Every structure is written in C-alpha cells, then in structure tokens.
C-alpha cells in the first residue's frame, strides 16, 4: 500500500555569507536551531518523530553522527532516530525523498528532512603523510618508536588542508566548469545579471509580504537572509568583474552563489499524522528522479537535472505546461538559463534519450520568491529550503497546483522532484 | 553592571546601605505555597460566606484574638494570615470590630503572610453610610498594606450581593497563596457568577488554548510558562524578529510558536486560523505585547505617538474584534478570558511617557467598557497593571534610578515577571468567572499610581 506523503511545514534559519554572522556556529548548532524552530512552529516539543534525515557537504570527522546529535540537542524526543545522508547540493532534496519514500511505503508516518552547511566552519585536515605519521606514532609502544615516527615529519607536511569546492576528477572549481557550460550554451552576461537581480527583488518582496514568517526562524540575531541585496540592480551587477571563465568571462560574484552558512528542515508526514497533529498539509510529494551525466567525459557538469526532468515528466504523464511553478536551483544564474535552453533543445534532449524537447515556460513561473543567488546556498540546506517554500506557494495557489524542483549537484548529478498542492 | 552597582552589591556595600536604612528586601512567598502559620478567620457578623469559602479551599482556620481595649493581646506565635469576613460591616461603629481583630494580627502576621478583608462594595443601595464605610475599608486596607513588614500583604475583596462561596474560591486561593506575592494594598470586585468549582484546581487551564502575545521574553515568556504550568496549550506569539527566543519558549513549555506582527491587518485572522487548525477555540487571549518610545512631550513626534498607541492599544482592539466574532473559527470561546496589560505609568502618568500612559490607561478603560458587553457570553475582560518588574527592559534603567524605583513600594523591591503572570493566570481560571472589568495592580503597592 502506498501512502500519500505531504509537506506540512518547514523551517530554516536565515542564510548568511561564509564568515558572516554564523562564522562561529557549527553545523551541529545550525541544524539544531533549524529543527528547534520547526518543532516550535508545529508544536512538536517532546514528540517522537519517525526519523530525521539530514546531512552536510562540508563535514567534520567528529560529526559522523551529525543529525542524530542535533536531534539529541533539539526539543524533539530523544527516542527520535536519525541518519546522515549526503548527495552534494542535492542533499536537502535527497533527504526529503529518502523519508518520503519510507512514509509512502508505510515504514514511517512522520519524518523531518534536513540539510546544513557551514562554509565558515569548514573542516581543516592535515596532509596525508602527516596523518600517516600521527597514526603510526599513536600505535607506537615505546617512546623510541614514537620519536622515530615523529622524526619523519617534514615542514611540507604541516600545511593544513582546507576542503576545495572543486571537482576531484578535473581539479576545476564548479564555477570554472559552469563557465564552460555558459560559453557552450551562449548565455549572455546581461541575461545572467537580469536573472540575478530578479532573484534578489523577488526574495525581498517575499520577505516584505511576510511570506517567510512561518518558514524561517531568526538565528544569532540575524532575522533575514544576510546575502539578500534588495537594492541591487542590473546596472550595479553589470559593474562587477568576471570571476570565472577568464577575463572575457560573463560569470561574476553577483550572478554566482556565494559560499554560505545555513540550515533548513522540512516536516513530512502521512495525511493521517498531519490531521492528528492539527497541521495543514501544503502539498504532496508526487515523484522524483535522480540522474547523472558523463563527467568528466565532457558533459555539462550541472545539467544532469535535464535528463531527470524529462524522464520524470514522462513517467507522470505530464508536460512542462502542466507545471505551475518551477524551482530551478540558482547555483549560478547561467545554470538556470542553460537548463531552460537545454529543455528547449531538440538535439540535446534527444542525446539524453528523451522523446523530444521538454519545452519552454514563461518567466513568471520561475523561482517566484527568488532562489539561491539571493538567499545564499549552504550546499546541503538548499533542497530543504526549496521544498517547504514551493509547498507553501502551491498551497497558496490552491489544490492541484503543481511545482517542479530541479537541483544540480557536484559530480555531474542532479535531482528533480514534483510536488502538488493538496 | 556599573561600578557603583557592583560596589553596592558587595558585602561592604550592603553593610553600608543597611546602616543607611536600605535594608535587604524581604523574601516573598511565591507559587502555590500557602502561608506557613495558621489561618485565622474573623467573622464580624452573621455571614459565614468566607468560612464556607475556606472550607472549599480545604483550609482549617482558628478563631481570632480580639483586642478588648485594655492591653494589647498577642497571638503568642506568628499567624499565617488573618481573613476577615466583613460582609456585615455597614456602619461606622462596625469598624471598631475590624480594628479589634486587625491590631493583634498586625503584630503577629508572619513574613510574607496575608491580611484579607472580604466586604460588600459601595453603591449597592445600602445607603450613604454603607457606601462611606465601604470606602473606609479601602483606606484601611491601603494603610495596612503600608504598615505590614517582612513581605506580608493586605488585600480587600469586594464581594457583591449574591456571591456564593464557590465564586470566591479562586480569588481567596490566589490571595492567600504565594501567587499574589507582589499584589499589595489592592481592592477588587467579585460578582456572583454561579461558579460550580468545589475546590481549588491545581491545573485549572487543562487542555485550554491560551494565546500570549509578546511571549518571546520578559513578562510575556513568564505568562506563557505560568499558563502552561496551569495546564494550558499555549500559542506563543511574537514578532518574526524575535522568533529564536520565541521558539525556545514554545519548546520549553510544549506550546506552539507563531511569528506574527500584531499590528498587521490580518493578525487576528492568523491567530484564529492557527487555533482553528487545531480544532479549538481560544479560552484566553492575553494581550501582553507592548513597546515604549519614551520622550518628553516636547520631543514626542507623530511617529512615536502613533506606534505606541497602535501596538499597545489599537492592535489589541483590532484582534479582539476578529476573535470576538462568533462566526470566526478559532475565535474566542464563550466563557473565555481576555486580559490586557495596563501599567502604573498609565494609571498615574509618568514623565516622558505620554504616549505609553495614553495606551496603558486606554487598556484600563477598554476592559471596563468591554466587560459588561461580553457578560452574556461569560467572557471576562480584565487587565493587570505592573509596577516595577525586574526584566531585561528595566535592567537598562540606570542603577540609582532603578534602585529607587524598586524601593518606592510597600515590599521594598521590584516584582518578578512571574508575579504578573500569576495574576493573569488567576484571571484566566474558569473559577474566576465573577471577576471582570477590573484592573489589578501588580506593583507591591507602589507609591505611584494609586
């Protein structure tokens, strides 16, 4: 028997630029805050939730049990189990689907999907040779053996290793990869800056109308997304120097997401559980599809969601026209623009084995309350930011409204999901 | 903490202050604690109403020592409380009987003990003398409050004609217990309400939905905690920017948090929607949220004026209008409670607070106006008027000024947020049905605003 899985709420802390107001907050702290805000909003203090699934992309070795530890620090019942998952920038959507699937199968009646990342508090590790020496020294039985092990330390070993936002197989940063895609799909600087400015303006308008009053809980004195620049404009963005793609590049710090800190959580449940807990279902989780492209074989690193979207729509018997709202994660403005072009490109879609191009949709259906360019993008948290945002937007539009989420992820992967208002 | 404040609170500083007459303030009894010593009941006539109420409260009582006029007799030991049934006192000559029981008790009442007088109010058709006597009792009560030491308090309860013992249970229980710690020298009215409670309920709000605005910190957080302790399902409301502290309060008490600006047009509707989603109606609406924008009148511009009046008074009225519409799902239940927060600043006026005083005196006027109009739905409407309460807000007042504010009341100290909360919880009890249209000061009998 398959149960209907509904989104009944969400909570996140305001997102912030790395090194900003959350510079001294850990993933554990931020994830706990996101959970506690959700618990307070839904009145779940002391409740045992079926399972909490969370994750972080930049994770300290000590945080091996990050989500369970955050649950124990939160107001949830300590009998609430948890697990950690990670699928790069798709983590927050993948944790949602992991729990949605379990709920659909009847294994759970409630779950909280979450994601958190701190680019401020990124783990620093030691070099591989130093690590081997330290491990050998710790296994030494005599002082002599220990001294002998340490004697092998060389100055070069001592340099700390910070995590890089780079593809291990190419050594290229995500921005450099996307610069290739930007050029290949002929995405103009103007279009990117327009999309970025629109994202800020739409997010600012949503804050102004109180849309986030029941989606965000302030944290450490920060009450709104600290990345947001309501007064930015295409003109201001046009003045920025290229950040990726060399001196002729079109990608800037203004039309690319900054490294961010933040956490987000989604409350998922069966309709029965929602009713028992007096919570209003916003939308049901319809279906999802994960995909990957041939990386580093030459495919566009961040366009994996295109194939997933095509297969998902076909499986559901839907077309782009059946979707009322699109949430395409703004890793870079050009990612969204290239994704939309790819959807309309017959040859590209055919190369993915799709029956035809997915088609176009009007701008007013895209990221209607802004997205990652304006909100920020703490990698694992983004999916868990988008799911409740879209669910609430669909609920506002009324039953039957459909929305599609498309999130690209490192390693040439992508995850796409469809929600429908109930 | 300033250097001066540190010095004041150092061991040496305390000694010096004590020599100068600034003694360590008395420790007040709080919570559901009864007086330690015996309760003495002094009936001054044939009425047995107070005896019946004490019986419902399950409190044993002793006979009073009466001053015969020769030498002042004593109790021999401390007594916990003197409760006087003065319902038959109507003539000036009757007051001697009151003096005769007050005099021995004034010496014997324990620290944080109580002297409570239950009497008929004036204006009930008893004639000129009866009205004069009713008012005389108020003067006596206020003076007893000022003379009592060691944190003991005095209270006058005006029980109207027709009040039954059960109607008095919640009031007498509140006054005698530690919950009324910072309520001193006050008089308020209990009207007949056909209350059926036959004992004091420890969890009178069990399962009832109570809404508290401004619940993230200070007095509002204490109200939320206290109502939750009494069994309420609390909806804690505060502005979105206070959401982090609000969530902590809601989770602590197992309530729910609603981030909401009460001045928004849809504030009432959103509160109702939240309650309706839980399939409930509101038992108690506590309008605690408030702001100050202090300036002397010569510097008070239209913005400061409007924002304080809107948050502290107009928003409350807009929300009430929505919640009192019987057609609104999740609105006020019949038999519900509305509580506003007035202020001694509002009752007495306060330099630099024209706007605030207007709003808070306005709250006092509002509850008096609403109460009779909502009586047919058994909805009571009351306000509390806090005096100097120890909060983050008052902690910002410069030390010397703050110490003066603390001292200028009969209990020589500031009140705690929980003291305001306890009074509100008492008003919210179903058994407090006979108390409506009142303003109860929680001020330790502050010299200001009487």
């Amino acid at each position: 028997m398959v149960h209907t899985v509904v989104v009944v709420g969400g909570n996140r802390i305001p997102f912030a630029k790395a090194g900003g107001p959350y510079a001294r907050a850990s993933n554990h702290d931020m994830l706990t805050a996101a959970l506690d805000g959700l618990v307070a909003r839904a009145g779940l203090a002391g409740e045992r939730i079926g399972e909490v699934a969370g994750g972080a992309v930049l994770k300290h070795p000590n945080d091996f049990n990050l989500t369970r530890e955050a649950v124990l620090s939160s107001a949830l019942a300590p009998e609430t189990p948890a697990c950690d998952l990670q699928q790069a920038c798709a983590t927050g959507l993948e944790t949602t689907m992991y729990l949605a699937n379990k709920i659909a199968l009847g294994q759970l009646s409630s779950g909280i999907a979450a994601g958190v990342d701190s680019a401020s508090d990124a783990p620093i590790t030691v070099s591989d040779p130093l690590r081997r020496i330290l491990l050998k020294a710790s296994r030494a039985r005599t002082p002599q053996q220990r001294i002998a092990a340490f004697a092998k330390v060389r100055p070069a070993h001592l340099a700390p290793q910070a995590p890089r936002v780079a593809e291990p197989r190419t050594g290229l940063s995500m921005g450099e990869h996307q610069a290739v895609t930007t050029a290949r799909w002929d995405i103009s600087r103007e279009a990117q800056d327009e999309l970025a400015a629109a994202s800020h303006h739409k997010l600012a308008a949503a804050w102004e109308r109180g849309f986030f009053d029941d989606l965000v809980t302030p944290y450490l004195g920060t009450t709104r997304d600290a990345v947001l620049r309501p007064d930015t404009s295409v003109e201001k963005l046009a003045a920025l120097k290229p950040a990726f793609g060399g001196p002729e590049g079109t990608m800037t710090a203004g039309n690319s997401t900054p490294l961010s800190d933040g956490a987000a959580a989604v409350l998922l449940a069966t309709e029965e559980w929602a009713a028992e807990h007096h919570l209003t279902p916003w939308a049901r989780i319809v279906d999802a599809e994960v995909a990957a492209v041939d990386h580093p074989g030459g495919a566009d690193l961040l366009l994996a969601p295109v194939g997933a979207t095509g297969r998902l729509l076909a499986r559901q018997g839907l077309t782009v026209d059946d979707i009322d709202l699109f949430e395409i994660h703004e890793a870079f403005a050009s990612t969204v623009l290239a994704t939309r072009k790819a959807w309309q490109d017959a040859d590209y879609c055919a190369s993915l084995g799709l029956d035809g191009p997915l088609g176009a949709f009007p701008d007013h259906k895209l990221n209607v309350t802004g997205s990652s360019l304006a909100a920020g993008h703490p990698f694992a948290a983004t999916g868990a930011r988008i799911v409740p945002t879209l669910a609430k937007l669909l609920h506002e539009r009324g039953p039957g409204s459909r929305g599609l989420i498309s999130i690209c992820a490192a390693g040439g992967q992508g995850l796409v999901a469809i929600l429908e208002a109930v | 903490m300033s250097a001066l404040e540190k010095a004041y609170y150092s061991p040496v500083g305390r000694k010096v202050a004590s020599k100068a007459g600034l003694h360590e303030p008395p420790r007040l009894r709080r919570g559901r604690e009864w007086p330690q010593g015996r309760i003495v009941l002094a009936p001054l006539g044939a009425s047995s109403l107070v005896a019946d109420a004490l019986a419902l409260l399950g409190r044993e009582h002793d006979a009073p020592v009466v001053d015969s006029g020769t030498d002042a007799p004593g109790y021999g030991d401390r007594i916990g409380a003197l409760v006087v049934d003065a319902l038959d006192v109507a003539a000036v000559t009757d007051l001697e009987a009151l003096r005769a029981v007050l005099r021995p008790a004034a010496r014997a009442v324990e620290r944080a003990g109580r002297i409570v007088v239950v009497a008929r109010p004036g204006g009930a058709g008893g004639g000129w003398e009866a009205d004069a006597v009713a008012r005389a009792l108020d003067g006596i009560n206020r003076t007893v409050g000022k003379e009592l030491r060691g944190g003991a308090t005095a209270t006058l309860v005006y029980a109207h004609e027709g009040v039954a013992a059960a109607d008095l249970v919640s009031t007498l229980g509140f006054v005698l217990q530690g919950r009324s710690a910072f309520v001193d020298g006050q008089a308020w009215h209990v009207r007949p309400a056909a209350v059926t409670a036959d004992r004091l309920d420890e969890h009178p709000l069990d399962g009832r939905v109570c809404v508290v605005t401004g619940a993230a910190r200070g007095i509002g957080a204490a109200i939320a905690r206290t109502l939750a302790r009494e069994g309420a399902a609390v909806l804690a409301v505060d502005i979105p920017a206070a959401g982090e502290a609000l969530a902590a309060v809601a989770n602590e008490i197992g309530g729910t948090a609603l981030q909401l600006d009460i001045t928004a047009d849809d504030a009432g509707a959103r509160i109702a929607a939240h309650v309706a989603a839980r399939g409930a109606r509101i038992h108690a609406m506590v309008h605690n949220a408030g702001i100050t924008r202090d300036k002397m009148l010569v510097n008070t511009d239209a913005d400061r004026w409007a924002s304080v009046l809107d948050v502290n008074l107009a928003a409350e009225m807009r929300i009430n209008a929505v919640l009192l519409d019987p057609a609104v799902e999740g609105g006020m239940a019949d038999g519900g409670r509305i509580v506003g927060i007035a202020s001694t600043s509002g009752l007495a006026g306060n330099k630099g607070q024209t706007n605030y005083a207007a709003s808070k005196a306005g709250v006092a006027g509002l509850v008096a106006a609403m109460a009779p109009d909502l009586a047919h739905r058994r909805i009571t409407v009351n306000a509390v008027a806090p005096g100097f309460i120890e909060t983050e807000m008052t902690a910002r007042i410069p030390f010397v000024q703050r110490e003066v504010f603390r001292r200028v009341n009969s209990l020589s100290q500031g009140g705690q947020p929980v003291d305001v909360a306890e009074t509100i919880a008492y008003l919210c009890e179903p058994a407090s049905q006979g108390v409506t249209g009142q303003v109860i000061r929680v001020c330790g009998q502050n010299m200001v605003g009487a």
Side-chain angles (χ1 to χ4, degrees):
Chain A
M1 170 176 181
V2 177
H3 300 262
T4 299
V5 185
V6 287
V7 178
V8 288
N11 183 59
R12 64 182 178 91
I13 60 174
F15 291 172
K17 249 181 203 157
Y22 308 154
R24 302 185 67 175
S26 66
N27 278 340
H28 175 100
D29 299 338
M30 292 192 290
L31 182 54
T32 304
L35 291 174
D36 274 344
L38 182 62
V39 168
R41 185 165 298 136
L44 298 175
E47 284 264 349
R48 183 177 66 83
I49 294 295
E51 186 175 3
V52 179
V57 173
L58 301 173
K59 198 164 151 182
H60 288 258
N62 288 343
D63 280 340
F64 66 93
N65 219 2
L66 172 67
T67 310
R68 169 64 182 156
E69 292 298 329
V71 166
L72 287 174
S73 294
S74 78
L76 289 168
E79 292 83 7
T80 301
C83 78
D84 277 30
L85 292 176
Q86 203 260 63
Q87 196 179 46
C89 303
T91 301
L93 186 54
E94 181 55 30
T95 55
T96 300
M97 293 317 304
Y98 163 81
L99 290 175
N101 292 344
K102 282 195 172 189
I103 293 169
L105 286 172
Q107 295 172 359
L108 299 171
S109 54
S110 65
I112 296 175
V116 57
D117 253 298
S118 169
S120 298
D121 187 34
I124 302 280
T125 54
V126 298
S127 65
D128 283 350
L130 180 58
R131 189 164 50 81
R132 282 192 284 272
I133 290 165
L134 291 171
L135 287 169
K136 191 170 183 187
S138 74
R139 286 191 295 265
R141 289 173 185 278
T142 67
Q144 287 82 356
Q145 285 175 344
R146 196 163 293 134
I147 289 165
F150 280 124
K152 297 209 172 83
V153 176
R154 298 289 171 267
H157 296 163
L158 298 177
Q161 314 276 303
R164 296 177 309 157
V165 190
E167 287 296 327
R169 284 167 191 279
T170 59
L172 292 179
S173 73
M174 196 147 300
E176 284 153 358
H177 271 286
Q178 180 59 30
V180 175
T181 298
T182 306
R184 184 183 291 164
W185 288 89
D186 193 23
I187 309 294
S188 73
R189 168 76 185 262
E190 292 70 30
Q192 293 175 56
D193 287 346
E194 273 170 29
L195 190 136
S199 183
H200 282 275
H201 297 156
K202 287 185 285 190
L203 183 71
W207 273 109
E208 278 309 308
R209 77 172 169 101
F211 179 75
F212 292 111
D213 285 357
D214 58 358
L215 287 170
V216 180
T217 304
Y219 182 57
L220 300 182
T222 298
T223 57
R224 287 192 178 190
D225 296 310
V227 174
L228 175 62
R229 294 286 172 271
D231 58 350
T232 195
S233 64
V234 175
E235 294 71 36
K236 282 182 187 169
L237 290 168
L240 297 174
K241 289 198 178 71
F244 304 107
E248 301 305 308
T250 56
M251 293 168 60
T252 68
N255 58 40
S256 309
T257 51
L259 288 172
S260 315
D261 301 340
V266 190
L267 181 58
L268 302 160
T270 61
E271 288 175 302
E272 295 76 22
W273 190 94
E276 279 165 21
H277 290 77
H278 309 297
L279 295 165
T280 307
W282 282 342
R284 70 183 180 95
I285 307 274
V286 177
D287 199 357
E289 173 97 6
V290 64
V293 293
D294 180 11
H295 164 76
D300 295 296
L301 183 75
L302 299 183
L303 292 189
V306 177
T309 306
R311 291 196 289 276
L312 176 61
L313 288 172
R315 179 163 71 234
Q316 288 296 323
L318 300 170
T319 70
V320 164
D321 296 334
D322 298 316
I323 305 294
D324 300 288
L325 296 174
F326 296 85
E327 286 286 338
I328 303 181
H329 161 49
E330 296 168 346
F332 303 90
S334 64
T335 315
V336 179
L337 294 162
T339 298
R340 291 181 74 179
K341 273 198 168 178
W343 282 15
Q344 297 166 63
D345 190 302
D347 293 341
Y348 183 81
C349 288
S351 77
L352 298 172
L354 303 177
D355 287 342
L358 303 180
F361 65 88
D363 288 348
H364 68 80
K365 292 184 175 182
L366 174 69
N367 300 348
V368 294
T369 53
S371 186
S372 305
L373 286 168
H377 172 40
F379 308 119
T382 289
R385 167 183 70 78
I386 294 176
V387 171
T389 300
L390 177 62
K392 184 181 170 185
L393 284 167
L394 294 171
H395 180 65
E396 284 181 345
R397 293 174 68 93
S401 308
R402 286 192 201 91
L404 182 141
I405 301 171
S406 166
I407 298 181
C408 55
Q413 304 204 92
L415 182 55
V416 178
I418 294 175
L419 272 56
E420 185 182 290
V422 289
Chain B
M1 209 182 263
S2 70
L4 182 63
E5 193 171 358
K6 272 184 194 150
Y8 180 82
Y9 283 117
S10 69
V12 177
R14 286 187 171 232
K15 252 181 210 159
V16 171
S18 180
K19 286 247 159 65
L22 291 172
H23 300 292
E24 190 89 344
R27 240 191 97 243
L28 305 183
R29 173 166 53 91
R30 289 198 161 86
R32 288 189 170 271
E33 211 181 310
W34 293 97
Q36 277 192 315
R38 9 185 211 130
I39 292 175
V40 172
L41 172 65
L44 301 185
S47 165
S48 68
L49 187 68
V50 178
D52 295 345
L54 284 174
L56 290 177
L57 285 168
R59 307 318 294 174
E60 305 261 318
H61 50 80
D62 288 358
V65 170
V66 181
D67 178 15
S68 58
T70 47
D71 54 357
Y75 275 89
D77 61 349
R78 295 277 165 197
I79 61 168
L82 170 73
V83 186
V84 183
D85 186 333
L87 288 159
D88 296 321
V89 170
V92 175
T93 50
D94 295 342
L95 292 173
E96 161 56 19
L98 180 58
R99 185 206 63 79
V101 294
L102 284 176
R103 186 178 176 199
R107 180 175 297 168
V109 75
E110 69 185 18
R111 293 182 159 271
R114 298 285 185 267
I115 290 183
V116 186
V117 176
V118 182
R120 289 280 180 238
W128 293 355
E129 185 171 358
D131 284 12
V133 167
R135 187 66 189 260
L137 292 171
D138 186 46
I140 293 168
N141 177 56
R142 288 167 190 255
T143 307
V144 172
K146 290 186 180 182
E147 287 194 8
L148 287 177
R149 302 173 67 173
T153 65
T155 302
L156 172 60
V157 177
Y158 285 122
H160 287 237
E161 190 68 45
V163 161
D167 295 333
L168 279 176
V169 162
S170 74
T171 301
L172 269 187
F174 168 72
V175 171
L176 288 171
Q177 287 188 336
R179 291 180 284 150
S180 62
F182 206 59
V183 178
D184 193 7
Q186 302 299 296
W188 67 93
H189 295 249
V190 178
R191 291 180 173 78
V195 168
T196 53
D198 57 357
R199 63 193 165 82
L200 194 65
D201 195 340
E202 295 248 324
H203 299 286
L205 301 176
D206 247 343
R208 294 169 188 263
V209 174
C210 297
V211 183
V212 182
T213 64
R217 54 178 61 87
I219 293 173
I223 296 168
R225 289 188 186 103
T226 304
L227 295 179
R229 186 201 67 198
E230 306 276 289
V234 175
L235 171 55
V237 180
D238 214 313
I239 51 169
E244 187 177 8
L246 183 70
V249 171
N251 286 342
E252 179 194 324
I253 62 174
T256 53
L258 177 62
Q259 300 184 156
L260 171 73
D261 181 346
I262 56 159
T263 63
D265 291 336
D266 63 348
R270 283 182 57 195
I271 291 170
H274 192 99
V275 176
R278 278 156 178 74
R281 293 187 75 81
I282 298 169
H283 169 70
M285 178 72 221
V286 181
H287 294 286
N288 165 73
I291 58 168
T292 54
R293 294 285 182 272
D294 297 355
K295 281 280 180 209
M296 298 297 274
L297 194 48
V298 292
N299 293 319
T300 298
D301 59 21
D303 279 353
R304 285 177 184 278
W305 192 257
S307 61
V308 169
L309 278 166
D310 194 43
V311 174
N312 297 3
L313 183 58
E316 180 173 332
M317 292 167 60
R318 287 194 297 268
I319 291 170
N320 284 343
V322 174
L323 299 183
L324 285 169
D325 179 348
V328 169
E329 282 182 46
M332 291 299 302
D334 285 356
R337 304 280 180 261
I338 295 175
V339 184
I341 309 285
S343 161
T344 51
S345 295
L347 305 180
N350 194 22
K351 233 188 223 178
Q353 291 196 311
T354 347
N355 48 5
Y356 187 74
S359 68
K360 293 301 185 178
V363 167
L366 182 65
V367 302
M370 289 175 73
D373 290 348
L374 293 170
H376 69 289
R377 291 177 62 186
R378 294 176 59 78
I379 293 173
T380 70
V381 192
N382 294 287
V384 296
F388 183 85
I389 303 295
E390 306 282 356
T391 64
E392 280 173 46
M393 198 167 88
T394 54
R396 287 197 290 268
I397 297 172
F399 166 65
V400 173
Q401 213 178 337
R402 179 159 26 106
E403 194 57 31
V404 170
F405 288 155
R406 278 179 183 139
R407 297 271 175 182
V408 291
N409 63 59
S410 298
L411 300 173
S412 309
Q413 59 193 297
Q416 296 296 323
V418 71
D419 297 330
V420 180
E422 293 280 17
T423 308
I424 289 170
Y426 149 66
L427 292 170
C428 291
E429 281 183 47
S432 300
Q433 188 65 44
V435 184
T436 189
Q438 313 276 304
V439 179
I440 299 179
R441 293 174 50 187
V442 185
C443 63
Q445 200 177 22
N446 202 307
M447 305 297 176
V448 169

